Amino acid sequence: ERSGSMTAILKRLADALEKAYRVRKAFVGKLIYPVLLVHAAIFIPAVVKWLGPGGTAATAIKHILMSLIPLYIVAAVLLFGIGKLRKIGALRLIMDGVVSNIPVVGRAYLNIAIARFVQTLELLYVAGVNMRESVAIATQGTGNAWIESRLKRADLYLAEGEDVGTALGRTGVFNPMVQSMIATGVESGQLDEMLRRVGDQAEHDATTSIDRLAVVMPFLLYFVVMIAVGAMILSMWGAHFSQINDLLK
């Protein structure tokens, strides 16, 4: 309403929501396979116990229940507990800081937050909101308290008279290429176009990070499953051969 371009802004808003939905859908979709592998890590050893010497169906079922019930309880506690803890400002900042610095996982988490910030900033700027207010509002929408705390510094730099490219660059959130793109947009008077490109790049980086995470997690789970099954097989057959040796003596 402020800029007199409500239709165009609503279209931009719809596009931004669609991009956020795509990233969220990609993240959830990539988690399905690792979750299946976790269940496989429980069911495969149960089958090994069942088919091994002296194994019964009751033993296998007991193994599955004793593994799944604690797993589901821990998952429920984490989901609800983390949600409650994130409502506490200081804890949310610490939790987001820890997650943001975890290899692979942290990169995906950071890229999602940066994509949200840049897309919101571009939307507000095009709508006619002044840059300082746009940065402040976009900062609140990152969903990452650690990134938010760093981006808030940009408001101080803007108050000192810095342009938006320099102010955002001094926060340390953006890589040199992104800083250069924003600075170019400021100098050329095409900041909205550059912000759109940066937003698209951030979305691409977020999706790429999620894809990498989806590649790494299954390999780790495969490794855990192989070790668990191998240890179980050695344990069962070791006991079996021990009994045979005792009989031979």
Side-chain angles (χ1 to χ4, degrees), residues 27-42:
F27 181 72
V28 173
K30 297 298 183 181
L31 285 178
I32 294 175
Y33 186 49
V35 168
L36 291 176
L37 281 179
V38 169
H39 285 77
I42 294 172

Side-chain angles (χ1 to χ4, degrees), residues 196-210:
R196 189 180 304 114
R197 291 183 182 180
V198 171
D200 291 341
Q201 183 61 44
E203 181 192 0
H204 173 74
D205 290 343
T207 304
T208 302
S209 298
I210 292 170

Side-chain angles (χ1 to χ4, degrees), residues 17-57:
L17 291 173
E18 183 182 356
K19 289 177 180 179
Y21 172 75
R22 283 202 302 264
V23 173
R24 185 167 60 251
K25 183 179 179 182
F27 181 72
V28 173
K30 297 298 183 181
L31 285 178
I32 294 175
Y33 186 49
V35 168
L36 291 176
L37 281 179
V38 169
H39 285 77
I42 294 172
F43 280 95
I44 292 175
V47 173
V48 173
K49 280 190 172 184
W50 181 16
L51 300 178
T56 62

